[in-house]
Amino acid sequence: MQKKLYVGGLSYNTDVDEVRDLFVQAGEVVSVNIIKDKFTNQSRGFGFVEMATEQQASEAINKFNGKEFGGRKLTVNESKPQEKRNFSDNKGGGYGGGKRW
């Protein structure tokens, strides 16, 4: 079963191929996604790597968490599902809060 990993501490100049080349040392890499700022298109310094098996994901965590890569120390751990945001439940903040008589 495939396993997605969070990878933090990436250099802003690191590209997808460099991350793939690193993680392939722990096993088959299914996908690599580096998160970028939507306005500047610059890397935000973190991303996600999907490994083919849970065993390979565990090996990647053990091998690369805390390792220096691109001049920065990596944080590698199991990715957690993104929390759903409820934009309609703003509890009256900003405009539209409270009743207008």
Side-chain angles (χ1 to χ4, degrees):
M1 179 174 210
Q2 296 175 350
K3 194 69 149 178
K4 188 181 259 188
L5 302 175
Y6 165 84
V7 182
L10 293 172
S11 164
Y12 298 117
N13 299 321
T14 302
D15 66 21
V16 170
D17 292 331
E18 291 172 314
V19 175
R20 183 180 307 278
D21 289 346
L22 177 67
F23 277 81
V24 78
Q25 296 173 36
E28 182 185 347
V29 176
V30 176
S31 67
V32 176
N33 184 18
I34 295 176
I35 305 303
K36 295 185 177 189
D37 183 274
K38 65 182 174 181
F39 299 110
T40 65
N41 204 35
Q42 180 182 1
S43 168
R44 294 187 61 199
F46 70 96
F48 299 93
V49 174
E50 194 168 3
M51 301 297 292
T53 67
E54 289 187 33
Q55 181 180 355
Q56 292 171 353
S58 293
E59 185 175 337
I61 291 169
N62 292 333
K63 196 169 194 170
F64 303 124
N65 188 42
K67 179 179 179 170
E68 191 168 311
F69 180 70
R72 298 183 69 184
K73 191 177 273 192
L74 294 179
T75 300
V76 181
N77 52 42
E78 189 176 322
S79 176
K80 297 176 184 160
Q82 184 176 6
E83 292 181 14
K84 293 206 179 232
R85 299 184 211 175
N86 188 355
F87 292 106
S88 65
D89 188 21
N90 64 10
K91 305 278 191 226
Y95 298 103
K99 294 182 182 177
R100 303 218 196 277
W101 302 99

